Structures are given as structure tokens and as C-alpha cells.
Amino acid sequence: VTSNRPGAMASQSEGINIGQLGPEQLYQLKQQLDQEDEVQVKALQQLRVALNRLTDSRESVEALKKQKEGDTMLVPITQSMYVPGEAGDVKSVMVDIGTGYYVEKSVSEAEAYFDRKIKYVRDQFSKVQAIVSMNRQQLGAVESLLQQKLRAAQSQQQSASESS
């Protein structure tokens, strides 16, 4: 079994034959793969949060299109607190484009913006998900081989102690 993962103790193009690694090296590789898995899972969680936020924003813009100037609505102050308000100019909205910057966009421009961002985040989510899957397959192979080598070493020790 070889690993062609970048950063797996070899360059992406050369790969390593994990069958030739000793138990200590396999354990180190297992720890590295565990750490990478943890980082990637956190990245997936962050992407999921971003996707939910963008989807909520897209749905809000869609709902806003149905509002007319002067319609009453609840305006969020926090995630769990709202105040009554009236819809103003529903032809444009202020869109948070990150790091505290807001841009005024028409409703259709805002929809297109959120559609692009949602597509981008979904694509990134799929890429990271594929990496996690590959990482877990490699982790399983390393764990299995490590267990085999530890059992072999243990049976060798038993054989040596019985023959003494």
C-alpha cells in the first residue's frame, strides 16, 4: 500500500510504501493522519456554517422580493431578538461581503452574489469531503497494518520467551 497524499512524509509524486515502515513510524504516521483528519473535519464544520448562513441570506433576499415598501416585518437585532419595522426601499439591500464591509446591491444582484457564494462553498465542501474520505481510508490502512505488525512482534516475543 502506498500513500500519494501531500504531506504524508513524502512528496505528492513519490508516495511511500507503508508496508516497509516499522511500528514506530506507522504510529507517527497514524498520529499525523489523525491530526489532519481533525483539521479537515473542523474545516467541513466551518464550511457548513458558512453555507447555512449564505443559504439563509439567499432565502431572506427571496422573501424580501415579496415585500412592498411600508409592509410591516420583524427586524433581527440579534439571533433571538427582533423589533417591529417597516420595509423601506426593497429595490436594494446591503450585503456583507466579509471583514465588516457592506455593499449596496440590487435584489437581483444580491441573489446572484449569494448564488455564486453558495456554489463556491458547496464546491469547497465537496473537495474537503473527498480529502477527509481519502484520509480516513489511509488511516484505516495504517491502523490495520500497525495492528498486524504489533501482533507479529508480540508473537515473536512469545516465541522467543518460550524457547528460552
Side-chain angles (χ1 to χ4, degrees):
V1 179
T2 60
S3 170
N4 291 326
R5 280 178 24 356
M9 296 174 51
S11 75
Q12 188 172 5
S13 60
E14 66 184 73
I16 57 173
N17 183 344
I18 63 172
Q20 295 177 347
L21 298 177
E24 240 178 70
Q25 292 169 313
L26 283 171
Y27 184 72
Q28 288 174 347
L29 181 57
K30 178 191 173 315
Q31 286 182 315
Q32 180 181 351
L33 290 171
D34 281 336
Q35 288 173 347
E36 289 176 13
D37 185 61
E38 188 177 317
V39 168
Q40 298 301 334
V41 167
K42 284 181 183 175
L44 279 176
Q45 291 169 344
Q46 291 171 342
L47 287 169
R48 189 171 289 123
V49 167
L51 185 58
N52 289 341
R53 185 176 47 83
L54 290 166
T55 302
D56 288 347
S57 295
R58 173 62 168 91
E59 289 170 358
S60 294
V61 170
E62 184 69 30
L64 191 60
K65 283 182 10 181
K66 299 172 187 168
Q67 297 287 323
K68 293 177 182 62
E69 195 166 345
D71 284 354
T72 58
M73 59 178 15
L74 292 176
V75 179
I77 301 295
T78 67
Q79 287 183 342
S80 59
M81 186 169 43
Y82 298 83
V83 295
E86 287 185 8
D89 179 13
V90 291
K91 294 181 194 108
S92 65
V93 293
M94 297 298 288
V95 177
D96 180 357
I97 60 170
T99 63
Y101 289 99
Y102 293 85
V103 175
E104 185 173 357
K105 292 185 175 285
S106 70
V107 172
S108 61
E109 289 172 334
E111 286 177 316
Y113 171 81
F114 288 121
D115 288 342
R116 282 192 314 276
K117 294 296 272 186
I118 288 168
K119 180 184 180 327
Y120 175 78
V121 172
R122 281 186 179 147
D123 290 346
Q124 294 306 307
F125 189 89
S126 294
K127 289 176 185 177
V128 174
Q129 216 168 20
I131 292 169
V132 167
S133 177
M134 183 178 69
N135 189 17
R136 289 190 175 165
Q137 287 175 352
Q138 291 174 346
L139 187 57
V142 168
E143 286 174 337
S144 176
L145 186 58
L146 179 59
Q147 288 175 358
Q148 288 174 4
K149 290 200 177 210
L150 290 175
R151 279 193 298 264
Q154 190 177 34
S155 68
Q156 246 182 356
Q157 284 179 339
Q158 285 177 349
S159 298
S161 64
E162 288 173 3
S163 64
S164 314

